[in-house]
């Protein structure tokens, strides 16, 4: 990746992270070779499609890398990966790391609007999709990308390929590949975002590898860990806490197609799952399901809840219902994450969202003038450290606002720090909706809605919701005939917007409340509509 595309850590920081042994200086491709040598036959991945040992995974990654190389994919190429929870996703990730091609990790729920943007913005040469997932034929979308994105040359399909190449057929005898620089970006994650277009988060081999190791330590993972992933594996949280942390520890990663108790509980019983992560809405479903299930959940040691704030009342129900330890966690694709530790007392685990995983994480809590607030008071969280990025991919103007001059990432989250260092989430200053852990940038949705002929002006806000935390409300000043919610939803679907971003509610208004500075007061809108 070229030097102007991303922001490396300043040399004095990089040197410290290396000297303290946090940055291992080992590219991911090599890590898997090392793990396979050490652990060979131990089970690495269990998924609906495969059951692979570490040696199997290593072999498949090698052969897949060689097959992609034969197809013409080279180091430095960008590719967009949009795959659900399949073993092939894991093999592909390591194959791309070995090749040095940079995956942009898209969510299965993304549609034309998002995928087209990722492909065009990164000048991607290949797209990896499932055949049909949750009723959506990704091959049709892929055909559009191939026809409409000038850089796009290949489509690979997990499952029935139609007129494209089946991912399973990408297979060749391993070829020697040039060594990778561990200090360089290995993949691009998606930011939860606050801007009109999603921002891409370049994570290096060194920093991402370290975050996986630090999470494994924070969660007390070892070779007996069997971690179940029910959320999309493509999400940064599941990738770090699930895939990377489990592999670090030498455990087994189990991929499930859904978090539905009917699907997940038999897998827990069958695979003797010890750990899993979920958002609060799923925790509620699971707690309710324990009242009727016959599945044996006794192997569970710990469930981790995060992505959006866990209500303390719901938190109290987790341990008695699921019969295992509750751990809360927070994190962001930009890096910083925190988890409760085994030694944390129960009140801390009920009321805070976690403790940063690295001793070299630097946290500041500041007021609107960037001054540190007194200890224990709430303010915006700024973060810097060995796995928190210093800038988004190709976004110099946005970077100037999103990072302080001394390299702290402005998280947009309002938090309070306990004397123990644990972080308590209190709200946010960023214009983003957190719908059950799915993040929606209000501005992105507003831009789409402004294109509707019956919308003169729009403000998108999150309204409180018992289960999801927030629901999406579009406040619209109409133009001509009043639009109905269904009209707007159909319009957004037609524009190829991901389903999780579709508004739940429409409020028609004649004007918006304004702040003293004449901006739309979303705070007042939320207060009025809640
Ligand atoms: P993402 O990059 O999509 O993982 O989104 C990161 C954002 O999710 C954070 O900046 C927070 O706003 C929010 N978040 C993550 N975990 C939690 C949590 N446990 N409680 C409250 N908010 C959270």
């Amino acid at each position: 990746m070229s030097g102007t595309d991303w922001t490396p850590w300043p040399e004095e920081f990089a040197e410290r992270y290396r000297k303290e042994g946090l940055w291992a200086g080992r590219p991911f491709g090599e890590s898997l070779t090392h793990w396979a040598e050490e652990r060979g036959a131990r089970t690495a991945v269990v998924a609906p499609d495969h059951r692979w040992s570490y040696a199997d995974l290593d072999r498949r990654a090698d052969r897949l890398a060689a097959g992609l190389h034969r197809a013409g994919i080279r180091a430095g190429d960008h590719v967009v990966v949009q795959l659900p929870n399949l073993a092939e996703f894991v093999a592909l990730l390591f194959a791309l790391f070995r090749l040095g091609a940079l995956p942009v990790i898209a969510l299965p729920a993304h549609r034309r609007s998002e995928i087209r943007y990722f492909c065009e913005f990164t000048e991607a040469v290949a797209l990896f999709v499932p055949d049909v997932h949750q009723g959506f034929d990704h091959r049709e979308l892929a055909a559009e990308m191939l026809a409409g994105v000038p850089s796009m040359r290949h489509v690979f399909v997990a499952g029935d390929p139609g007129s494209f190449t089946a991912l399973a057929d990408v297979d060749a005898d391993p070829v020697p590949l040039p060594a990778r620089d561990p200090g360089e970006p290995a993949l691009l994650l998606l930011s939860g975002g606050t801007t009109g277009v999603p921002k891409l988060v370049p994570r290096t081999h060194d920093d991402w590898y370290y975050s996986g190791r630090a999470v494994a330590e924070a969660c007390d993972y070892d070779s007996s860990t069997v971690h179940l992933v029910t959320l999309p594996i493509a999400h940064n949280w599941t990738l770090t806490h699930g895939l990377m942390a489990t592999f670090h520890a030498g455990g087994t990663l189990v991929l499930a197609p859904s978090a539905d108790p009917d699907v997940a509980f038999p897998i827990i019983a069958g695979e003797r799952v010890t750990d899993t992560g979920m958002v609060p809405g799923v925790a509620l479903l699971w707690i309710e399901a324990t009242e009727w299930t016959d599945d044996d959940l006794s192997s569970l040691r710990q469930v981790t809840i995060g992505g959006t704030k866990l209500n303390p009342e719901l938190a109290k129900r987790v341990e008695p219902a699921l019969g295992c330890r509750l751990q809360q966690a927070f994190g962001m694709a930009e890096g910083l994450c925190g988890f409760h530790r085994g030694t944390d007392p129960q009140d801390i685990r009920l009321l805070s969202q976690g403790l940063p995983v690295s001793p070299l994480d630097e946290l500041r809590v500041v007021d609107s003038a960037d001054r540190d607030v007194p200890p224990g008071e709430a303010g915006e969280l700024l973060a810097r450290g060995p796995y928190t990025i210093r800038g988004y991919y190709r976004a110099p103007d946005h970077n100037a606002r999103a990072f302080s001059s001394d390299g702290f990432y402005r998280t947009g989250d309002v938090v309070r720090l306990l004397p123990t260092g644990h972080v308590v989430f209190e709200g946010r200053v960023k214009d983003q909706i957190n719908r059950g852990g799915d993040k929606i940038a209000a501005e992105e949705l507003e831009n789409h809605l402004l294109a509707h002929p019956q919308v003169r002006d729009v403000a998108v806000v999150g309204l409180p919701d018992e289960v999801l935390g927030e629901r999406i409300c579009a406040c619209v000043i109409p133009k001509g005939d009043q639009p109905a919610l269904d009209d707007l939803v159909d319009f957004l679907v037609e524009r190829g917007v991901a389903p999780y971003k579709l508004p739940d509610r429409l409020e028609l208004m004649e004007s918006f409340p304004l702040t003293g500075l004449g901006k739309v007061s979303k705070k007042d809108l939320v207060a009025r509509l809640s």
Side-chain angles (χ1 to χ4, degrees):
M1 197 184 278
S2 117
T4 53
D5 288 346
W6 74 291
T7 316
W9 280 257
E11 192 43 43
E12 71 266 28
F13 285 85
E15 201 183 302
R16 175 153 188 228
Y17 299 150
R18 276 188 221 108
K19 219 163 82 202
E20 305 248 350
L22 309 188
W23 286 4
R26 175 183 275 167
F28 287 116
E30 260 181 44
S31 312
L32 178 59
T33 314
H34 173 74
W35 290 331
E37 280 163 10
E38 224 178 50
R39 304 161 185 168
R42 207 184 296 158
T43 307
V45 188
V46 178
D49 53 338
H50 292 101
R51 177 178 289 272
W52 281 335
S53 67
Y54 278 90
D56 295 333
L57 176 61
D58 183 47
R59 210 171 303 121
R60 177 65 186 134
D62 254 348
R63 298 194 62 89
L64 192 49
L68 292 172
H69 188 266
R70 182 191 280 173
I73 297 180
R74 293 286 180 272
D77 282 343
H78 289 81
V79 304
V80 174
V81 175
Q82 187 191 28
L83 290 178
N85 294 358
L86 301 171
E88 282 284 29
F89 173 93
V90 183
L92 177 63
L93 204 58
F94 283 98
L96 293 168
F97 292 151
R98 284 186 178 166
L99 261 179
L102 278 138
V104 179
I105 311 288
L107 293 172
H110 284 139
R111 294 291 179 263
R112 189 187 337 111
S113 168
E114 294 89 7
I115 298 294
R116 183 173 195 117
Y117 172 73
F118 303 144
C119 292
E120 284 178 344
F121 186 57
T122 64
E123 298 160 78
V125 301
L127 178 59
F128 296 80
V129 290
D131 45 13
V132 178
H133 182 64
Q134 296 187 339
F136 184 80
D137 192 333
H138 288 260
R139 294 164 302 190
E140 287 174 14
L141 177 62
E144 265 187 68
M145 296 303 117
L146 202 53
V149 178
S151 58
M152 187 60 66
R153 296 198 303 266
H154 311 276
V155 171
F156 300 99
V157 181
D160 173 1
S163 58
F164 301 115
T165 308
L167 189 54
D169 292 341
V170 183
D171 180 69
D173 288 336
V175 288
L177 294 166
R180 312 263 36 100
D181 176 351
E184 284 278 318
L187 75 170
L188 291 164
L189 299 173
L190 307 181
S191 158
T194 54
T195 49
V197 287
K199 293 282 169 283
L200 300 181
V201 177
R203 301 289 300 266
T204 64
H205 294 263
D206 268 337
D207 94 75
W208 205 54
Y209 182 92
Y210 171 60
S211 71
R213 190 184 107 199
V215 171
E217 284 166 7
C219 296
D220 296 322
Y221 280 7
D222 60 26
S223 58
S224 69
T225 297
V226 180
H227 182 111
L228 174 69
V229 169
T230 61
L231 297 169
I233 181 72
H235 194 280
N236 168 61
W237 181 27
T238 32
L239 277 174
T240 313
H241 175 221
L243 192 150
M244 287 307 294
T246 305
F247 286 175
H248 259 288
T252 300
L253 181 72
V254 180
L255 301 178
S258 141
D260 186 330
D262 284 335
V263 176
F265 284 9
I267 298 177
I268 294 175
E271 299 295 336
R272 306 295 296 155
V273 167
T274 60
D275 292 80
T276 188
M278 65 189 74
V279 291
V282 171
L284 179 62
L285 269 183
W286 283 31
I287 289 170
E288 286 169 356
T290 55
E291 282 166 26
W292 49 258
T293 186
D294 292 330
D295 291 310
D296 176 9
L297 306 182
S298 63
S299 57
L300 281 176
R301 290 200 290 239
Q302 178 160 275
V303 295
T304 309
I305 303 182
T308 182
K309 187 159 173 174
L310 176 64
N311 167 313
E313 288 310 310
L314 181 57
K316 281 185 204 149
R317 296 170 60 193
V318 173
E319 296 192 347
L322 296 175
C324 64
R325 215 170 154 277
L326 162 70
Q327 177 191 49
Q328 291 198 50
F330 68 88
M332 43 208 78
E334 289 78 0
L336 179 70
C337 63
F339 287 75
H340 286 136
R341 305 297 201 273
T343 47
D344 285 339
Q346 205 198 27
D347 57 335
I348 292 256
R349 285 187 292 115
L350 291 177
L351 295 170
S352 75
Q353 279 59 63
L355 184 71
V357 294
S358 173
L360 292 194
D361 278 323
E362 299 172 74
L363 272 59
R364 289 182 62 203
V365 181
V366 301
D367 64 17
S368 56
D370 261 6
R371 287 177 303 234
D372 292 283
V373 300
E377 286 193 12
E380 185 184 0
L381 174 65
L382 308 189
R384 187 167 79 172
Y387 60 97
T388 298
I389 57 163
R390 295 296 187 122
Y392 292 102
Y393 172 73
R394 288 189 184 165
D397 294 343
H398 182 65
N399 286 342
R401 292 187 296 275
F403 295 83
S404 69
S405 54
D406 54 354
F408 279 82
Y409 166 55
R410 298 181 192 280
T411 66
D413 291 311
V414 174
V415 305
R416 187 158 68 73
L417 295 186
L418 301 182
T420 49
H422 290 78
V423 181
V424 180
F425 278 68
E426 298 283 5
R428 62 170 180 254
V429 287
K430 57 189 169 188
D431 196 7
Q432 185 189 72
I433 297 158
N434 190 335
R435 188 183 189 280
D438 286 326
K439 313 300 180 320
I440 296 101
E443 186 186 328
E444 184 187 344
L445 201 47
E446 286 162 359
N447 286 344
H448 281 294
L449 288 168
L450 277 172
H452 191 282
Q454 286 156 268
V455 173
R456 176 183 309 147
D457 204 357
V458 58
V460 171
V461 294
L463 298 182
D465 180 83
E466 275 283 304
V467 177
L468 292 169
E470 284 182 318
R471 277 182 194 269
I472 308 168
C473 177
C475 304
V476 166
I477 302 177
K479 189 159 68 184
D481 289 344
Q482 297 193 342
L485 178 61
D486 284 351
D487 299 331
L488 297 187
V489 166
D490 290 348
F491 177 75
L492 292 169
V493 170
E494 184 56 35
R495 284 174 75 84
V497 173
Y500 67 87
K501 298 179 183 170
L502 300 176
D504 300 289
R505 180 170 155 186
L506 167 67
E507 285 292 329
L508 296 172
M509 304 186 168
E510 285 179 3
S511 63
F512 295 140
L514 299 179
T515 64
L517 291 172
K519 284 178 31 175
V520 176
S521 172
K522 293 199 169 176
K523 220 164 95 189
D524 287 340
L525 276 175
V526 172
R528 194 194 285 180
L529 299 170
S530 301

